[in-house]
Amino acid sequence: MKHVGIAAVTAEGAALAYRRICSTAGERLGRYRHPEISLHSFSFSEHIEAGPRPHEQWAGLLLASAGKLQASGADFMICPSNTPHEVHRRVAPALPFPWLHIAEATGKLAARNGLRRLLLLGTRFTLEGSVYEPACFSSKGIELVLPDEREVGRMHAIITDELIPGSVSERSKDYFAALIERYADRQVDGVILGCTELPLAIDDHNSCLPLVDSVVALADAAVDFALGIDAG
């Protein structure tokens, strides 16, 4: 089995990915069995206080994390945070090993689940950035639907003020449930949780639509890669 490296950004996203890798591997390999895993994290403040040119800072942090993970024996890397994948194209060619892309894994999971019109949820950075490129999803027969500006602002505030610090109010859970219900009436057939903290607020109990969780997609892709499985 290949050694998994996790370049952590937020504590919650990294913890959810680590737990999912262990549970998925255990289901496939037998109880308590999973690949070797190493995790490296800089202070989250270094990501959010990156200044006027954040991409350069993020690229440097991820390159440094990759070096530390390689030194620990990792054979490849995942980053269980969506926004830093803005620098994937810049950083991946300079890495000593593969870096699995979170949106690519998410798109493959959505396609395997037969979903075709998906509401994309996430931070303002992710929704306004290039991580979830529509062309990459349209090639799989998937259309992405984005929330409106007011909804993006409310969602961004919940993620940054509540979910990243590791808490969530019932009011916020109710907000997401109502948001998803509104889009279900607009012929959306699923929801992408395009922020690795969103599972803290949205699950099968408060979503009327099928969920495509980017944490699950990435962690399962990591297990596939570690086991040498081509998930297609």
Side-chain angles (χ1 to χ4, degrees):
M1 286 186 285
K2 293 184 175 67
H3 182 152
V4 183
I6 301 177
V9 176
T10 67
E12 295 297 333
L16 290 170
Y18 176 80
R19 290 175 60 188
R20 178 70 186 192
I21 290 170
C22 292
S23 64
T24 296
E27 291 172 1
R28 298 183 186 182
L29 302 173
R31 193 178 185 191
Y32 304 137
R33 298 182 183 277
H34 61 76
E36 188 171 358
I37 304 169
S38 293
L39 182 149
H40 176 264
S41 174
F42 288 104
S43 170
F44 183 50
S45 65
E46 297 197 38
H47 291 270
I48 62 173
E49 298 170 4
R53 304 174 73 177
H55 288 190
E56 291 186 8
Q57 174 81 347
W58 297 342
L61 292 171
L62 287 162
L63 281 166
S65 277
K68 292 175 184 291
L69 292 170
Q70 183 193 35
S72 76
D75 297 305
F76 69 101
M77 181 175 92
I78 63 170
C79 177
S81 184
N82 283 269
T83 299
H85 286 76
E86 288 285 347
V87 299
H88 187 276
R89 287 180 179 171
R90 179 190 306 189
V91 172
L95 295 180
F97 47 40
W99 173 11
L100 306 189
H101 197 293
I102 195 167
E104 181 179 337
T106 302
K108 288 180 179 180
L109 178 58
R112 287 198 299 271
N113 290 345
L115 301 172
R116 291 294 175 259
R117 194 164 191 263
L118 291 161
L119 174 65
L120 175 62
L121 303 182
T123 65
R124 181 182 299 279
F125 305 127
T126 296
L127 295 180
E128 294 179 353
S130 61
V131 175
Y132 286 84
E133 293 186 83
C136 293
F137 283 80
S138 63
S139 66
K140 299 178 176 64
I142 297 170
E143 177 187 357
L144 296 182
V145 177
L146 302 184
D148 66 31
E149 177 61 28
R150 179 180 55 82
E151 293 163 341
V152 170
R154 176 72 183 278
M155 178 167 47
H156 183 88
I158 292 172
I159 292 169
T160 55
D161 295 343
E162 295 184 38
L163 304 188
I164 289 175
S167 65
V168 57
S169 66
E170 289 302 317
R171 181 181 179 185
S172 293
K173 291 181 180 180
D174 292 342
Y175 174 77
F176 283 117
L179 174 65
I180 292 169
E181 189 171 352
R182 286 199 298 274
Y183 280 86
D185 293 335
R186 304 178 194 179
Q187 298 182 321
V188 167
D189 63 1
V191 180
I192 291 178
L193 303 185
C195 167
T196 52
E197 287 74 40
L198 278 173
L200 299 176
I202 306 170
D203 58 27
D204 292 333
H205 295 97
N206 68 344
S207 174
C208 63
L209 292 174
L211 301 176
V212 183
D213 185 344
S214 62
V215 175
V216 168
L218 182 63
D220 289 0
V223 173
D224 287 339
F225 197 87
L227 300 181
I229 297 171
D230 181 4

